[in-house]
């Protein structure tokens, strides 16, 4: 720590004598390892396609891994703000990390764009934004589909973790709104090797459909178990499962699973008049060229949109102050709040002083597994 | 709960229990010979599944290269230490070279070939763990050895993530047949798991009872000093115990990897439950460990059915009085 | 302008929070040998209490009360467990509590509770990290001081026996189960204090920092630091916090990738370190600095009065002990008067040690009665028997090898003191402690160990270690002394000194029962000899009479004759 004190002192002296390089620092906090890793890699991979320069300013990205742990995220955010003096934060990509980091970023007047479905509260945290669709939006799309299919009862099965809790909360809300009865709340751990018992429990309750609050490849478990037990009802999931890996591991058992997702996950199947289509296609074409056709996922899109939002706000912020200054960060925040009709790969953003997410139903599409592919449902 | 549901839960619990038992046996072997609680066994299980899955998908698994590198390091270490024997050459030069060749030229997408090759690749990680992690600290306290094992778990989980990514993978099942017992559909794979587990328990009994290597291992377990006096090399016994444990873990990985997808971090909890079973077996008795393994499996299954969100709370809270009873009983019996 | 960069203040805060837990874990695992993979649960209970009752004092009180209650209940079980049972038991509650934090609707599930206000001390707000961190380190300092007080006390000495000398401790009158539970609760309360501060420091909590992994990390800290050393706890906490931080900084720069590499590098570092220093860093750094010398107290005085009253000290009647089908003692009867030395002899396996264990309360007999000073003591726990005035030594020496001779002997004075954990923590026990140490020194002087008081007991030759055991037994101020092979390993001159001491004790009215194989020593010293063979008493009488007994000759020379 002595070394660091010296280094800090040295840095202060240098900063005083050498004019600061004109560049914008963006701190990025992702869950690349730990339980959230399966989604984290998608978030991370998008940074190969980020602009290196915006409005004549070089952009420096400082990417850190919180290992799917909010405490780490808090330490990292503190460090990025206090030592690196970042102008903006992208992430964290984990919901609990967002909640932990939010007060820090706001106290330091650093705008942050949460990439988990955090519902921003501009009145309390004016510097917090979110670019992932609120789960209530995503799950309501799923429940509207259920309603159209005449489904009356739904059983829930999800992870015993934060993601499972969030999807469950959104499910309760959507069920109430659509008059569909929720008959079960079954949970399992992400690392479990069997969900036979939970599947049996669901079977005994005979729901018309099953809603899943899980993600990535462990989401295959309940589908496989239910189908093995002869369950014939529809099985719904959320965008956490929409990746080729789900189908690769699940095989034919997952055929027919329906899920909400971000438009970018089915960029090539979107309706021609969908405003997101060209933007998403441009991004994903590059993305899959580098990472392979099997790498399509909704999460890379949140990283991409976060930077899109920031890049869009930078020119206005530059009129308020130099990068590195508080004036610049305040300008960035104001410009972000004034974003209108910005088309990203995950939807269209219309921010306002009361809405720091700004997405609508254009940000949610339904997909189903058909013949081993995620296929958009119109 | 209908009888059908109960039977289905029982079957589920037994399949999990069989895997826990396999791991418990590995733990027992390693603990009795080296005093190490080999927690990372579960990680080897996951590495085995992921290795076989990658082979079956036509890839060359990173574990093979890691094995080659570590084997080379071990070989150089032996050479530097002047301990090169025909056996070390066979273990750290010829064996990895043969595996690499087999992987390169063999029909690695063939499910059976991939399984055997995968097990062959993962098994040496046992002796390597002994060679590089535990042997240098063989005289440390039990607690220090346990901490080493925990640290190795984090390393191996990291290796799994780096080599195979965060997504889970499945291997092809040994059989896709399904047996109908009344309304109950029993998958052939579940039966195979239980059968292989039973065969392995029998095989190990024979190994420890009838073979020279097995007897030597047993001797080291019961009296380290005495074994040394009659010329049994404790280091050699340790390597063998770890090899057996790693083999058992790899086999478990292939078996369970066909029932459920396994990711880099799935193994730890399976290993933990094997640990529970082994402790219930008093770290000494195989039949008691078998009972413990089945108990844990069935308890989990029932807990998941009744109150899935509360399962871990219930199962592990129930474990505490069981452990207390076992500990007191053992102490009562252990008094001179 | 503060001295440290802002971020290092945060880091120091986390290190301090971990250190508080690690200090408790050092007392629990390092000193008392109770491995816990569940400390993070206790941190969690208090952290959640603080989050739900955010005003400060009530959160702290609720957290301490809840944690104390949970630990006390768990302690009912864990205090009796040993070895891997305890380790696994702690894993079990660690997982159970973690799942509970994530499942209880009151605690907002896995997504946790945010918006916890910063602490206030009266009018002073601790919203500024520096003030908060100062408070945390103040608590670290207090915890260190109190724990050091504890370890240099009567209770602290007793705690060290928990790690593998419980039978010995019980025979010194120590209630090991109660003590183990007290240490368990103390460690949990320290964790609770850390949890309370954590909640107000990070101002957001979720179940993750209270998981099994977090508990493992606390153990990493304690083991790396040096499990049995308080300084090691703080060192380990700082080391692990800073190391993790530096790795998060440096590993991505070296590998060009972010991901699991940090955790791998950290764990590899732990492995390499433990291989080189399995006992941790602290013992390497702190050269065994002179321990705080205990204050010399007033001249020694016996801790309790030795009654000179004439009478029967020990009466054994029809004693029987079966192990399965094996009869270790078969209807043994004899008695010892005060002021008498009785020797118990017989070939190996005759049942002498079993008889010792029954008399001293380590074993329960199958049948028969044992009366100590007229009181039936069968099935009384060893510590109660010790309180009645019986002290013993062991055939296989049971000393705390790493502790000084003085501390080992002072264990015998345990019953002469009353100060408990609380008084020790607050250092209100000094007068009594001085008295106990004086008693220990007096006992040492009696057996001729006064020049070795500061040596480690384990460093003495075996014969000397037996003498330490005798001094420890004398420290109990017993009226009946049981010595198991006291002369084994002694040189001739030492044997003579021992014999002289025993005669002197006899003169003071003490009754002595000894098991010994050295016939010369026995025949010279004993007033009476009891001979056992195959669990039965085959002869009893004056040495000369017994020596001539044909049954005795048969037993000793049996096969040959």
């Amino acid at each position: 720590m002595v070394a660091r004190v010296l280094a800090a002192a040295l840095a202060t002296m240098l900063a005083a004598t050498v004019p600061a390089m004109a560049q914008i620092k963006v701190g990025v906090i992702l869950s690349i390892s730990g339980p959230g890793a399966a989604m984290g890699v998608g978030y991370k991979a998008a940074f190969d396609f980020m602009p290196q320069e915006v409005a004549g300013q070089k952009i420096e990205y400082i990417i850190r891994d919180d290992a799917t742990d909010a405490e780490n995220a808090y330490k990292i955010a503190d460090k990025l703000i206090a030592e690196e003096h970042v102008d903006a934060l992208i992430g964290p990509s984990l919901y609990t990390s967002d909640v932990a980091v939010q007060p820090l970023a706001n106290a330091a007047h650093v705008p942050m764009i949460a990439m988990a479905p955090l519902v921003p509260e501009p009145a309390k945290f004016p510097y917090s934004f979110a670019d992932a669709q609120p789960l209530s939006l995503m799950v309501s799309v799923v429940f509207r589909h259920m309603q159209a299919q005449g489904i009356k009862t739904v059983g829930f099965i999800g992870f015993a973790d934060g993601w499972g809790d969030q999807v469950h909360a959104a499910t309760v809300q959507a069920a109430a709104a659509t008059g569909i009865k929720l008959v079960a709340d079954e949970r399992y751990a992400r690392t479990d090797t069997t969900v036979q018992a939970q599947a049996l429990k669901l079977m005994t309750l005979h729901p018309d459909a099953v809603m899943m609050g899980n993600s990535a490849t462990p989401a295959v478990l309940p589908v496989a178990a239910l189908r093995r037990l002869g369950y014939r009802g529809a099985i719904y999931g959320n965008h956490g499962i929409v990746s080729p890996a789900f189908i690769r591991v699940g095989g034919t058992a997952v055929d027919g699973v329906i899920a909400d997702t971000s438009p970018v996950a089915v960029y090539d199947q979107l309706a021609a008049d969908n405003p997101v289509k060209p933007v998403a296609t441009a991004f994903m074409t590059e993305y899959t060229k580098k990472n392979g056709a099997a790498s399509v996922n909704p999460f890379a899109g949140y990283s991409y949109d976060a930077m899109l939002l920031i890049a869009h706000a930078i020119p206005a912020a530059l009129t308020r102050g130099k990068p590195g200054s508080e004036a610049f960060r305040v300008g960035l925040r104001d410009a972000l709040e004034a974003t209108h009709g910005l088309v990203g790969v995950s939807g269209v953003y219309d921010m306002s002083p009361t809405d720091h997410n700004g997405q609508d139903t254009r940000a949610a599409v339904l997909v189903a597994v058909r013949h081993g592919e995620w296929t958009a449902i119109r | 709960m209908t009888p059908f549901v109960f039977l289905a839960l029982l079957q589920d619990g037994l399949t999990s229990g069989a895997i826990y038992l396999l791991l418990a046996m590995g733990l027992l072997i390693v603990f009795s010979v080296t005093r190490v609680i080999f927690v990372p066994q579960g990680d080897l299980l996951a590495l085995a599944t992921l290795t076989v899955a990658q082979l079956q998908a036509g890839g060359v698994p990173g574990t093979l290269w890691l094995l080659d590198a570590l084997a080379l390091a071990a070989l150089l270490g032996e050479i530097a230490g002047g301990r090169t024997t025909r056996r070390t050459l066979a273990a750290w030069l010829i064996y990895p070279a043969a595996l690499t060749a087999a992987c390169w030229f063999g029909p690695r997408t063939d499910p059976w070939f991939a399984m055997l090759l995968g097990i062959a690749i993962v098994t040496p990680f046992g002796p390597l763990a002994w060679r590089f992690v535990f042997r240098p600290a063989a005289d440390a306290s039990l607690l220090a050895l346990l901490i080493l094992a925990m640290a190795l778990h984090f390393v191996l989980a990291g290796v799994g993530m780096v080599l195979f990514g965060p997504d889970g993978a499945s291997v092809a099942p040994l059989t896709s047949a399904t047996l109908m017992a009344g309304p109950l559909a029993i998958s052939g794979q579940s039966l195979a798991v239980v059968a292989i587990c039973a065969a392995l328990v029998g095989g190990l009994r024979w190994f420890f009872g009838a073979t020279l290597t097995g007897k030597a291992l047993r001797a080291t377990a019961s009296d380290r000093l005495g074994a040394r006096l009659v010329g049994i090399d404790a280091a050699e016994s340790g390597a063998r115990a770890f090899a057996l444990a790693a083999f058992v873990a790899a086999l478990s990985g292939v078996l369970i990897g066909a029932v459920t997808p396994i990711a880099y971090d799935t193994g730890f909890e399976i290993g933990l439950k094997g640990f529970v079973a082994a402790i219930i077996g008093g770290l000494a008795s195989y039949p008691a460990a078998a009972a413990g393994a089945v108990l844990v499996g069935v308890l989990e299954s029932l807990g998941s059915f009744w109150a899935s969100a509360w399962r871990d709370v219930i199962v592990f809270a129930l474990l505490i009085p069981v452990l207390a009873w076992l500990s007191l009983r053992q102490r009562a019996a252990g008094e001179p | 302008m503060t001295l440290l960069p802002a971020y290092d203040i945060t880091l120091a805060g986390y290190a301090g929070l971990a250190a508080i837990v690690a200090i408790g874990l050092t007392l629990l695992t390092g000193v008392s040998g109770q491995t816990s993979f569940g400390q993070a649960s206790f941190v969690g209970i208090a952290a959640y209490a603080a989050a739900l009752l955010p005003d400060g004092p009530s959160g702290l009180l609720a957290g301490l009360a809840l944690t104390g209650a949970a630990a006390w209940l768990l302690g009912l079980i864990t205090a009796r467990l040993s070895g891997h049972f305890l380790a696994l038991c702690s894993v079990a509650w660690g997982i159970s509590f973690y799942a509970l934090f994530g499942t209880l609707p009151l605690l907002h599930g896995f997504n946790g509770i945010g918006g916890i206000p910063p602490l206030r001390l009266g009018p002073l707000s601790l919203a500024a990290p520096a003030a908060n961190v100062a408070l945390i380190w103040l608590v670290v300092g207090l915890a260190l001081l109190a724990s050091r007080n504890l370890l240099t006390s009567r209770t602290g000495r007793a705690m060290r026996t928990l790690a593998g000398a419980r039978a010995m401790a019980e025979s010194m009158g120590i209630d090991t189960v109660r003590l183990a539970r007290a240490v368990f609760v103390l460690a949990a309360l320290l964790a609770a204090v850390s949890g309370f501060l954590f909640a107000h420091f990070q101002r957001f909590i979720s179940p993750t920092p209270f998981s099994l992994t977090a508990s493992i990390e606390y153990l990493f800290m304690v083991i790396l630091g040096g499990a049995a050393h308080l300084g090691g706890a703080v060192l380990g906490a700082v080391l692990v916090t800073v190391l993790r931080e530096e790795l998060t900084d440096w590993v991505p720069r070296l590998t060009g990738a972010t991901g699991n590499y940090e955790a791998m590098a950290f764990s590899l570092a732990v492995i390499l370190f433990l291989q080189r220093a399995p006992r941790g860093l602290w013992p390497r750094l702190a050269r065994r600095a002179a321990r705080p010398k205990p204050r010399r107290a007033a001249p020694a005085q016996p801790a309790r009065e030795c009654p000179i009253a004439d009478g029967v000290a020990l009466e054994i009647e029809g004693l029987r002990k079966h192990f399965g089908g094996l009869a270790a003692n078969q209807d043994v009867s004899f008695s010892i008067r005060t002021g008498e030395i009785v020797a118990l002899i017989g070939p190996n396996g005759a049942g002498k040690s079993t008889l010792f264990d029954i008399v001293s309360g380590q074993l329960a007999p199958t049948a028969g009665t044992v009366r100590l000073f007229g009181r039936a003591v069968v099935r009384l726990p060893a510590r109660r028997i010790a309180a009645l005035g019986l002290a013993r030594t062991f055939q296989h020496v049971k000393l705390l090898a790493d502790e000084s001779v003085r501390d080992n002997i002072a264990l015998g004075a345990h019953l002469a003191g009353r100060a408990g954990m609380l008084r020790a923590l607050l250092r209100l026990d000094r007068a009594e402690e001085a008295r106990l140490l004086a008693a220990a020194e007096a006992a040492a002087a009696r057996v001729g160990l006064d020049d070795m008081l500061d040596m480690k007991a384990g460093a003495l030759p075996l014969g000397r270690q037996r003498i330490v055991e005798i001094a420890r037994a004398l420290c109990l101020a017993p009226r009946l002394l049981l010595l198991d092979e006291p002369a084994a390993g002694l040189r001739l001159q030492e044997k003579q000194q021992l014999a002289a001491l025993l005669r002197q004790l006899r003169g003071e009215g003490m009754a002595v029962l000894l098991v010994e194989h050295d016939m010369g020593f026995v025949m010279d010293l004993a007033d009476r000899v009891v001979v056992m063979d195959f669990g039965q008493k085959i002869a009893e009488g004056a040495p000369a009479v017994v020596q001539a007994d044909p049954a005795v000759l048969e037993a000793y020379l049996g096969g040959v004759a």
Side-chain angles (χ1 to χ4, degrees), chain B residues 2 40 44 69 88 104 118 132 150 154 161 172 233 256 259 279 284 321:
Chain B
T2 63
L44 291 183
T88 55
W104 212 245
F132 286 113
M150 288 287 179
F154 289 115
M161 159 100 182
D233 181 355
I256 200 169
V259 183
I279 294 277

Side-chain angles (χ1 to χ4, degrees), chain A residues 71-87:
Chain A
E71 183 181 325
N72 283 336
Y74 182 91
K75 286 186 208 165
I76 292 166
D78 195 18
K79 189 168 190 174
L80 289 174
I81 293 169
E83 267 186 17
E84 302 283 357
H85 305 287
V86 293
D87 295 295

Side-chain angles (χ1 to χ4, degrees), chain C residues 13-27 39 43 135-144 147 186-198 218 221-222 233-234 237:
Chain C
Y14 279 109
L17 289 168
I20 299 171
V21 184
I23 289 169
L25 196 55
T26 293
L27 296 176
Q39 287 315 96
V43 182
L135 174 70
I136 289 169
W137 278 93
L138 181 71
V139 174
V140 173
L142 289 176
L144 259 185
S147 302
L186 176 67
L189 289 179
L190 278 171
V193 172
S194 170
F196 167 79
L197 293 169
F198 174 79
Y218 289 126
M221 293 173 185
V222 167
V234 179

Side-chain angles (χ1 to χ4, degrees), chain C residues 312-317 369-378:
Chain C
V312 178
L314 178 70
E315 252 182 303
I316 298 173
E317 233 178 83
T369 57
V370 178
R371 301 179 83 78
L372 191 63
F373 303 107
R375 190 160 164 202
V377 295
V378 161

Side-chain angles (χ1 to χ4, degrees), chain B residues 37-59:
Chain B
I37 301 270
F38 193 36
V39 184
Q41 214 190 358
D43 300 298
L44 291 183
L45 176 152
L47 284 181
T49 313
L50 295 166
T51 300
V52 173
Q54 189 152 24
L55 284 167
Q56 287 178 346

